[in-house]
């Protein structure tokens, strides 16, 4: 979003355009195009092809796209001229054939469209399954992400420069900020491989601003920067320094620590991380361009020429044009700002939440700062409490845990630097240390909870489980990485997880961490729910993020060819019908489970040979009884079925509301496929089966529903990726559209079963899954307008007159000593007192280890401690009106400020 009011130092277009010759199209005299060959095409199209330097193959391919799919489109939904649509066709063809000669900016200049308009046009043209290939879609996504990040950085650059500079000379101001912005673009493009990482790029921008600001004279600076600049950096270069400038290039540039700290403080940015970027990445950049020993300001012409070469090499947009509000980089406020609303205390004194706009950079800095605050008291080494748990184990895991964390840390830092850019090992180390802090914190929280619940101190089997530790550390690092990446500019960040080979390898979003640790997604899935329950400071957006990770695992990642899930399914099938992953008859039962990370990681690998799943030695099954099946497989399928049905229902509501009788039939086919033909999911996506099942049933029931219609509706669903239907595995190494997959694979495998639904005696219908609330909505939510007040959902309890103190509001309470007992119970931290007031006894060690935080009854029949039941009941009776008022405030806030 460009500034509403241009600042006094804003460069004039005439002044800057002289330096930006790449902003206009390159002469087409070098284009290789045979006009004789294209006489059958419209002359204006051929002329445009020549202007865009298209080759004959590109021209032919673009014309086929136009003739086959675009010409007949409804013009009411296509507010673009033929010339602009032809330009998009030529761009698509050029990307697919690797034959584009012009940069993206030059292309936009010819067709007279902005970045956002052009991307919107291409997506509107994606009318059929194969109009836009995954290759083109990935390129557009990369351009859009880079554009959004660069625009956000430019907006912050403008605001910061306005606060720094008091330069009265307009022309000089223009040159200074033109130079600094160009240097930043050059540094980012040269040393940051992952150019759409908002946080690291912003930290690099602060380094560039330090470099220029300390070279100003004090009279040209505003407070607090004027007082922050060290006097030593303000001295003009002497003859000696100029004569020795060549020698100075080999030494590190001097950092003005006070100025850098001021810049970081004004931006709520981590000083330590920015210093690391300065000392590694930025200094390496200065050295590479020969500016390490420069005392004065670098020449603009030199910087611009070097960026010119980089820009033409990458063939993307010329980001210098932000300085002149060029039409190719313009965008509407709603498209770019992606503003989030956060409560801020009313300055008038009333404790009322006032929504204020938050820029992408501000949102990212706030999230990072909050994470650091939450981990202030945590360490990246085991605490004394954790060491006690280690020593209490039958086999002390201390050394193995230390070695594992050290080895995984080296792997993480190396891969981080490879993904982000040269000289970024230090940043990777800092992020890993944050992840290690969270890892140890959550581990201790889990063990403390179980010690209180079970009166057990020996957690040897769990703490010596390597997969558990790797998964827990990976989950902690995923929270850290997601906090830094943020979701303000990465709304489509999960697209790379659907198995596309064209995905950007430098994307640090999930499932990057799984690849780094070589961790199967099915193993990572086991820790997610327990992690969320064990970390009370986890923010709502991070809970949603981990829930999305779980969905991605269930929909595709767990079905990779080498996933341990297939071994469990095979073993389950060998046990016979009684050992199905999840019997259909249980689908309409509530999704209640006491399984936690310990249950899932210590769950039997083979159902008939169950290892002990508790910290105490489990007795072997008695003769004639069947061993327990895998908890991890059972719970996985429970969640999978419910997610699959919800997705089917959503797609059904867009397409087949006039045929409600088909929904249970489609679900039955889908459920049968997941249970009995799960090989169809190998290296594929759940949504591919959903769309295929819907098409198959409509076909056999003579309902007119085309795949094109299904795909069009699917694209409108949230969190979907076009490659899901454009690139489906047909056979090993061969991919094609979902239509080809249906004809060659799905239909061939399920033909007999599908045809049964047209017979007089169709298969019995599968029960509809009972859909519960998200298990991740149990964490406290902050009351709007408050700093430390949270509302937590009440947990279920089974109260009886004998076992609980009953209170009826509005009636006689009874003897006064009950108040005294309540006060003692609430204020006491002594377990035995609470148990005695509760009429119970001291807790007994349980046979099964659980990390259940919900106070549900245990599997062996014993009751949970009920430590907080009375407190919860009192809260329920005394806060009903308050909660109703809070809910009303939330609803009104949503109406006034809907989410973007």
């Amino acid at each position: 979003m460009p500034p509403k009011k241009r600042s006094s130092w804003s460069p004039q277009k005439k002044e800057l355009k002289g330096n930006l010759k790449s902003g206009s199209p390159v002469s087409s005299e070098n284009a290789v195009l045979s006009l004789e060959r294209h006489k059958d095409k419209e002359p204006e199209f051929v002329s445009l092809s020549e202007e865009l330097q298209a080759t004959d193959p590109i021209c032919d391919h673009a014309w086929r796209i136009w003739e086959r799919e675009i010409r007949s489109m409804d013009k009411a939904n296509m507010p673009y001229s033929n010339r602009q649509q032809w330009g998009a066709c030529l761009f698509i063809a050029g990307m697919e054939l690797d034959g584009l000669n012009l940069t993206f900016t030059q292309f936009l200049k010819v067709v007279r469209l902005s970045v956002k308009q052009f991307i919107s046009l291409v997506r509107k043209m994606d009318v059929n399954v194969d109009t836009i290939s995954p290759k083109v879609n990935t390129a557009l996504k990369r351009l859009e992400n880079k554009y959004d990040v660069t625009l956000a950085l430019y907006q912050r650059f403008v605001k910061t420069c306005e606060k720094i500079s008091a330069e009265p000379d307009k022309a000089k101001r223009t040159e200074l900020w033109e130079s600094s912005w160009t240097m930043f673009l050059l540094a980012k493009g040269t040393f940051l491989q992952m150019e759409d990482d908002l946080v690291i790029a912003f930290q690099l921008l602060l380094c560039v601003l330090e470099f220029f600001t300390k070279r100003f004279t004090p009279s040209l600076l505003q407070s607090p920067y004027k007082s922050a600049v060290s006097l030593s950096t303000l001295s003009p270069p002497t003859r000696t320094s100029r004569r020795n400038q060549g020698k100075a290039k080999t030494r590190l540039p001097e950092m003005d620590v006070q100025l850098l700290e001021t810049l970081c403080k004004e931006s709520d940015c981590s000083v330590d991380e920015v210093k690391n970027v300065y000392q590694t990445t930025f200094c390496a950049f200065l050295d590479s361009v020969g500016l390490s020993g420069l005392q004065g300001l670098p020449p603009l012409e030199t910087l611009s020429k070097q960026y010119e070469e980089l820009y033409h090499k990458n063939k993307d947009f010329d980001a210098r044009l932000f300085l002149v509000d060029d039409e190719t980089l313009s965008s509407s406020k709603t498209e770019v700002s992606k503003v989030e609303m956060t409560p801020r205390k009313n300055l008038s004194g009333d404790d009322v939440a006032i929504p204020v706009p938050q820029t992408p950079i501000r949102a990212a800095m706030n999230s990072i700062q909050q994470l650091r605050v939450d981990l202030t008291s945590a360490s990246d080494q085991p605490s004394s409490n954790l060491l006690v748990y280690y020593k209490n184990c039958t086999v002390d895991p201390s050394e193995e845990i230390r070695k594992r964390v050290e080895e995984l840390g080296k792997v993480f830092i190396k891969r981080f630097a490879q993904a982000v850019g040269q000289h970024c090992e230090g940043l990777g180390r800092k992020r890993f240390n944050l992840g290690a802090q969270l890892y140890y914190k959550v581990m201790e929280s889990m063990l403390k909870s179980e010690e209180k619940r079970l009166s057990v101190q020996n957690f040897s089997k769990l703490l010596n489980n390597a997969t558990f530790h790797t998964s827990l550390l990976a989950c902690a690092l995923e929270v850290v990485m997601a906090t830094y990446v943020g979701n303000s500019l990465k709304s489509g960040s999960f697209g790379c997880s659907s198995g596309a080979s064209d995905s950007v390898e430098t994307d640090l979003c999930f499932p990057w961490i799984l690849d780094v640790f070589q961790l199967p997604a099915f193993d990572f899935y086991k820790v997610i729910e327990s992690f969320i329950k064990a970390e009370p400071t986890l923010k709502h957006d991070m809970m949603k993020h981990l829930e999305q990770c779980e969905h991605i695992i269930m929909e595709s990642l767990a079905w990779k060819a080498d996933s341990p899930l297939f071994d469990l399914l095979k073993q389950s099938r060998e046990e016979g019908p009684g050992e199905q992953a999840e019997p259909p008859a249980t689908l309409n039962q509530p999704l209640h489970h006491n399984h936690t990370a310990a249950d899932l990681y210590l769950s039997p690998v083979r159902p008939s040979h169950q290892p002990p799943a508790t910290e105490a030695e489990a007795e072997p099954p008695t003769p004639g009884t069947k061993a327990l099946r895998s908890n991890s497989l059972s719970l996985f399928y429970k969640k999978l079925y419910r997610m699959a049905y919800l997705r089917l229902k959503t797609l059904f509501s867009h397409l087949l509301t006039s045929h409600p009788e088909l929904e249970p039939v489609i679900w039955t086919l889908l459920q049968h496929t997941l249970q009995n033909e799960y090989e169809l999911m190998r290296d594929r996506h759940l949504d591919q089966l959903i769309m295929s099942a819907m098409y198959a049933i409509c076909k056999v029931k003579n309902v007119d529903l085309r795949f094109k219609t299904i795909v069009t509706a699917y694209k409108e669903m949230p969190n979907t990726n076009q490659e899901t239907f454009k690139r489906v595995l047909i056979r090993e190494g061969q991919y094609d559209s979902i239509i080809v997959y249906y004809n060659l694979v799905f239909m061939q495998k399920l033909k007999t079963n599908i045809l049964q639904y047209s017979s007089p005696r169709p298969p019995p219908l599968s029960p509809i899954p009972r859909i519960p609330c998200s298990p991740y909505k149990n964490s406290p939510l902050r009351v709007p307008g408050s700093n430390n007040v949270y509302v937590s959902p009440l947990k279920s309890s089974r109260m009886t007159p004998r076992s609980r103190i009953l209170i009826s509001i509005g009636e006689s309470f009874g003897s006064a000593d009950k108040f005294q007992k309540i006060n003692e119970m609430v204020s006491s931290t002594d377990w035995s007192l609470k148990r005695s007031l509760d009429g119970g006894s001291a807790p007994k060690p349980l046979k099964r280890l659980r990390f259940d935080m919900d106070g549900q009854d245990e599997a062996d029949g014993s009751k949970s401690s009920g430590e907080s039941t009375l407190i919860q009941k009192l809260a329920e009776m005394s806060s009903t009106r308050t909660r109703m008022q809070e809910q009303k405030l939330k609803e009104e806030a949503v109406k006034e400020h809907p989410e973007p």
Side-chain angles (χ1 to χ4, degrees):
M1 178 178 63
K4 292 181 179 179
K5 183 179 179 181
R6 300 299 297 171
S7 64
S8 59
W9 62 265
S10 298
Q12 299 298 310
K13 292 188 178 183
K14 291 182 180 179
E15 294 174 347
L16 185 61
K17 282 189 176 179
N19 296 323
L20 303 181
K21 297 177 181 178
S22 62
S24 56
V26 174
S27 172
S28 60
E29 60 185 10
N30 295 323
V32 183
L33 195 68
S34 173
L35 301 181
E36 190 70 23
R37 173 173 171 172
H38 305 291
K39 287 184 176 181
D40 59 324
K41 304 174 179 64
E42 295 190 27
E44 293 85 356
F45 174 84
V46 178
S47 176
L48 178 62
S49 301
E50 190 176 18
E51 194 174 353
L52 291 173
Q53 300 186 15
T55 60
D56 288 330
I58 291 176
C59 185
D60 288 335
H61 187 30
W63 186 252
R64 283 194 297 270
I65 295 173
W66 166 257
E67 287 276 85
R68 186 179 69 234
E69 301 174 24
I70 310 303
R71 184 196 289 272
S72 59
M73 285 183 62
D74 183 5
K75 299 305 178 184
N77 297 323
M78 185 61 72
Y80 299 95
S81 67
N82 280 356
R83 178 184 173 86
Q84 292 168 335
Q85 294 177 58
W86 288 337
C89 291
L90 287 161
F91 178 84
I92 294 168
M95 288 296 299
E96 290 178 347
L97 300 178
D98 294 320
L100 288 180
N101 292 315
L102 300 185
T103 67
F104 191 41
T105 290
Q106 292 168 346
F107 216 96
L108 296 174
K109 289 285 186 181
V110 173
V111 296
R112 299 185 181 90
L113 288 173
S114 68
V115 172
K116 287 290 187 178
Q117 289 171 334
F118 188 82
I119 292 174
S120 175
L121 166 59
V122 175
R123 287 176 176 162
K124 284 180 180 294
M125 292 168 56
D126 194 15
V127 290
N128 288 324
V129 174
D130 56 352
T131 304
I132 309 298
S133 68
K135 181 178 181 179
V136 176
N137 191 55
T138 299
L140 282 175
K141 189 182 300 181
R142 184 191 69 81
L143 281 168
E144 186 173 31
N145 285 342
K146 184 176 180 180
Y147 170 81
D148 287 340
V149 167
T150 309
L151 178 56
L153 291 166
Y154 177 69
Q155 292 167 354
R156 177 52 66 92
F157 171 80
V158 170
K159 293 177 182 178
T160 306
C161 288
E162 288 175 338
K163 293 178 181 178
I164 294 174
S165 174
E167 169 64 68
D169 188 328
K170 190 174 182 180
K172 189 172 182 180
R173 264 201 319 270
T174 299
E175 183 179 357
L176 286 173
W177 301 123
E178 192 178 332
S179 297
S180 55
W181 178 246
T182 304
M183 174 185 273
F184 165 68
L185 295 177
L186 181 60
K188 182 168 75 77
T190 304
F191 275 77
L192 292 187
Q193 181 174 329
M194 195 177 66
E195 293 191 66
D196 60 350
D197 189 303
L198 181 66
V199 174
I200 298 179
F202 178 59
Q203 292 168 342
L204 183 60
L205 177 60
L206 293 179
C207 297
V208 173
L209 290 174
E210 184 270 353
F211 178 87
F212 277 85
T213 303
K214 69 186 179 184
R215 286 165 167 75
F216 289 3
T217 55
S219 62
L220 301 182
L221 297 175
Q222 301 186 75
S223 180
Y225 303 99
K226 184 174 183 177
S227 58
V229 175
S230 302
L231 292 176
S232 60
T233 63
L234 298 176
S235 303
T238 63
R239 290 183 178 179
T240 303
S241 64
R242 286 196 296 266
R243 186 166 54 245
N244 294 329
Q245 183 173 324
K247 296 180 181 180
K249 291 180 182 178
T250 59
R251 64 179 177 85
L252 293 178
E254 293 182 5
M255 178 199 308
D256 189 324
V257 177
Q258 188 175 353
L259 174 58
L260 199 63
E261 289 177 348
T262 302
L263 284 165
C264 293
K265 182 179 179 181
E266 291 292 305
S267 302
D268 293 327
C269 198
S270 169
V271 176
D272 289 339
E273 290 190 0
V274 177
K275 286 181 180 179
N276 186 279
V277 172
Y278 194 105
Q279 293 167 345
T280 56
T281 304
F282 186 58
C283 286
F285 161 73
L286 292 176
D287 190 56
S288 70
V289 294
L291 297 177
S292 293
L294 182 67
Q295 296 282 332
L297 292 169
L300 173 59
E301 291 184 4
T302 302
L303 295 173
S304 189
K305 181 179 179 181
Q306 290 176 315
Y307 177 75
E308 188 90 14
E309 294 174 357
L310 180 68
Y311 152 65
H312 279 282
K313 178 183 176 182
N314 294 333
K315 286 188 168 63
D316 55 11
F317 59 87
D318 187 345
R320 293 172 299 175
L321 296 177
F322 278 118
L323 291 163
V324 292
D325 287 335
D326 188 83
E327 62 275 4
T328 61
L329 299 180
S330 66
S331 187
S332 67
K333 178 179 179 181
T334 56
E335 283 179 325
V336 176
S337 64
K338 297 187 180 179
V339 164
E340 297 179 2
M341 308 305 288
T342 55
R344 177 175 290 178
K345 194 169 183 179
N346 193 340
L347 297 179
S348 64
D350 299 330
D351 196 13
V352 179
I354 303 177
V356 294
Q358 199 173 36
T359 64
I361 291 178
R362 179 67 63 185
M365 295 301 109
N366 287 348
S367 296
I368 294 167
Q369 179 66 19
Q370 188 60 56
L371 175 66
R372 289 180 168 277
V373 169
D374 293 340
L375 295 176
T376 300
S377 60
S379 171
D380 59 359
Q381 299 294 325
S383 67
S384 57
N385 290 333
L386 265 181
L387 291 176
V388 171
Y389 285 118
Y390 294 170
K391 297 300 181 185
N392 288 334
C393 291
T394 305
V395 178
D396 190 336
S398 303
E399 187 61 17
E400 287 299 316
I401 292 175
R402 185 193 67 77
K403 287 182 179 178
R404 185 182 300 108
V405 172
E406 183 179 332
E407 291 170 1
L408 292 177
K410 292 178 181 177
V411 173
F412 177 90
I413 294 167
K414 180 180 178 181
R415 290 290 299 274
F416 181 91
Q418 289 175 351
V420 176
Q422 303 177 49
H423 310 287
C424 289
E425 292 88 350
L427 283 180
R429 185 174 294 105
K430 288 183 178 297
R431 294 198 190 179
F432 182 83
N433 289 343
L434 284 175
Q437 289 177 250
L438 187 56
Y439 160 72
Y440 286 121
K441 181 185 178 186
V442 172
M443 188 196 311
E444 184 175 337
S445 176
M446 287 179 171
L447 298 177
K448 280 184 177 179
S449 175
E450 290 314 296
E451 182 182 14
K452 289 180 181 180
R453 185 183 304 280
L454 306 175
S455 292
V456 170
Q457 291 82 35
N458 185 350
F459 300 100
S460 185
K461 286 186 173 61
L462 181 67
L463 291 179
N464 282 283
N465 187 297
T467 305
F468 164 72
H469 283 290
T470 304
S471 301
L472 184 62
L473 180 56
C475 196
L477 284 166
E478 178 57 35
V479 169
V480 172
M481 300 300 286
T483 300
Y484 273 82
V485 172
N487 54 14
S488 57
L489 294 176
K490 299 287 260 184
S491 58
S493 61
F494 286 113
C496 62
S497 63
S498 61
S501 63
D502 296 344
S503 60
V504 181
E505 295 179 358
T506 57
D507 194 343
L508 298 181
C509 297
F510 187 79
W512 179 81
I513 191 65
L514 302 185
D515 181 57
V516 171
F517 285 175
Q518 292 296 291
L519 179 66
F522 184 72
D523 287 333
F524 179 85
Y525 141 85
K526 299 174 188 176
V527 82
I528 293 176
E529 189 168 336
S530 292
F531 186 99
I532 292 173
K533 291 180 178 179
E535 179 43 50
T537 65
L538 202 63
K539 299 300 175 284
H540 181 67
D541 60 338
M542 281 300 107
M543 286 190 287
K544 292 298 295 180
H545 173 78
L546 290 179
E547 186 177 12
Q548 275 189 293
C549 292
E550 185 180 72
H551 289 172
I552 292 168
I553 291 171
M554 291 191 292
E555 74 187 12
S556 62
L557 295 183
W559 302 98
K560 296 295 182 183
D562 57 350
S563 173
L565 174 60
F566 287 102
D567 292 334
L568 283 175
L569 285 167
K570 182 180 178 182
Q571 293 159 7
S572 176
R573 172 165 288 189
E574 290 173 355
E575 292 299 317
E579 293 298 336
Q580 297 176 36
E582 178 65 12
T586 67
L587 293 181
N588 55 4
Q589 298 175 3
L591 181 59
H592 292 319
H593 69 88
N594 294 329
H595 302 313
T596 58
D599 283 323
L600 302 184
Y601 285 102
L602 302 177
S603 183
V605 177
R606 183 179 177 86
S608 60
H609 298 87
Q610 180 192 10
T614 68
E615 295 308 305
E617 289 296 327
E619 297 181 1
T622 57
T625 63
K626 187 171 292 186
L628 294 177
R629 59 194 173 127
S630 168
N631 290 324
S632 59
L633 180 60
S634 176
L635 181 58
F636 180 85
Y637 257 79
K638 284 178 187 289
K639 291 186 174 183
L640 173 68
Y641 281 152
R642 284 157 176 81
M643 184 180 76
Y645 175 70
L646 277 177
R647 293 194 176 186
L648 170 62
K649 188 175 183 66
T650 302
L651 189 59
F652 189 94
S653 66
H654 285 84
L655 297 169
L656 293 168
T657 52
S658 58
H659 297 277
E661 73 283 357
L662 294 185
E663 182 187 303
V665 182
I666 299 171
W667 164 245
T668 300
L669 174 60
L670 178 61
Q671 189 275 325
H672 165 83
T673 306
L674 291 172
Q675 178 181 326
N676 300 300
E677 303 293 346
Y678 53 79
E679 282 292 332
L680 287 174
M681 280 292 296
R682 191 181 291 270
D683 280 335
R684 297 191 181 99
H685 195 290
L686 173 65
D687 293 349
Q688 293 162 359
L689 265 64
I690 293 175
M691 288 185 276
S692 296
M694 179 174 287
Y695 181 81
I697 294 302
C698 288
K699 196 78 171 175
V700 82
K701 293 290 188 179
N702 295 317
V703 174
D704 184 21
L705 181 65
R706 300 183 180 184
F707 247 124
K708 177 181 176 180
T709 308
I710 297 175
V711 164
T712 301
Y714 177 78
K715 287 193 294 186
E716 300 302 318
M717 292 173 59
N719 300 318
T720 58
N721 189 284
Q722 295 189 23
E723 293 183 7
T724 303
F725 55 83
K726 290 185 176 184
R727 192 174 186 275
V728 189
L729 177 66
I730 307 302
R731 56 182 63 90
E732 186 176 357
Q734 180 185 348
Y735 294 82
D736 214 312
S737 71
I738 192 171
I739 299 174
V740 177
Y741 163 74
Y742 174 85
N743 290 327
L744 298 184
V745 182
F746 188 88
M747 184 63 184
Q748 300 303 318
K749 188 72 174 179
L750 294 168
K751 182 184 296 184
T752 302
N753 184 271
I754 293 172
L755 292 176
Q756 290 178 3
Y757 293 99
S758 63
S759 68
R761 300 182 64 182
L765 298 177
S766 296
I768 299 297
R770 181 166 177 171
I771 306 300
C773 294
S774 168
Y776 308 122
K777 293 180 181 177
N778 293 328
S779 296
L781 297 177
R782 189 167 63 82
V783 176
S786 69
N787 291 326
N788 297 308
V789 180
Y790 291 81
V791 178
S792 179
L794 292 175
K795 300 175 176 61
S796 60
S797 62
R798 292 173 173 81
M799 296 183 65
T800 64
R802 284 189 174 185
S803 63
R804 300 289 186 266
I805 298 176
L806 302 181
I807 301 174
S808 178
I809 303 298
E811 298 180 6
S812 176
F813 183 69
S815 59
D817 65 327
K818 285 190 176 181
F819 278 118
Q820 181 63 28
K821 287 185 178 181
I822 292 172
N823 289 333
E824 291 175 356
M825 182 186 298
V826 172
S827 61
S828 173
T829 58
D830 181 62
W831 179 282
S832 60
L833 174 60
K834 295 176 184 177
R835 293 293 295 182
S836 63
L837 287 171
D838 200 29
S841 57
K844 300 181 296 182
L846 298 180
K847 293 182 179 180
R848 296 182 62 78
L849 172 65
R850 290 192 185 84
F851 293 149
D852 176 27
M853 306 288 286
D854 289 347
Q856 298 170 338
D857 286 1
E858 307 298 348
D860 63 358
S862 64
K863 301 292 183 181
S864 59
S865 67
E867 178 180 359
S868 60
T869 303
L870 179 61
I871 300 173
Q872 294 169 356
K873 194 63 181 177
L874 287 171
E876 180 182 25
M877 291 183 292
S878 62
S879 64
T880 302
R881 182 178 179 183
T882 302
R883 285 186 282 114
M884 292 174 65
Q885 292 174 339
E886 291 168 355
Q887 182 63 31
K888 185 176 180 181
L889 284 173
K890 290 180 182 178
E891 292 174 352
E892 292 175 352
V894 170
K895 291 179 181 178
E896 295 177 3
H897 305 283
E899 294 185 5

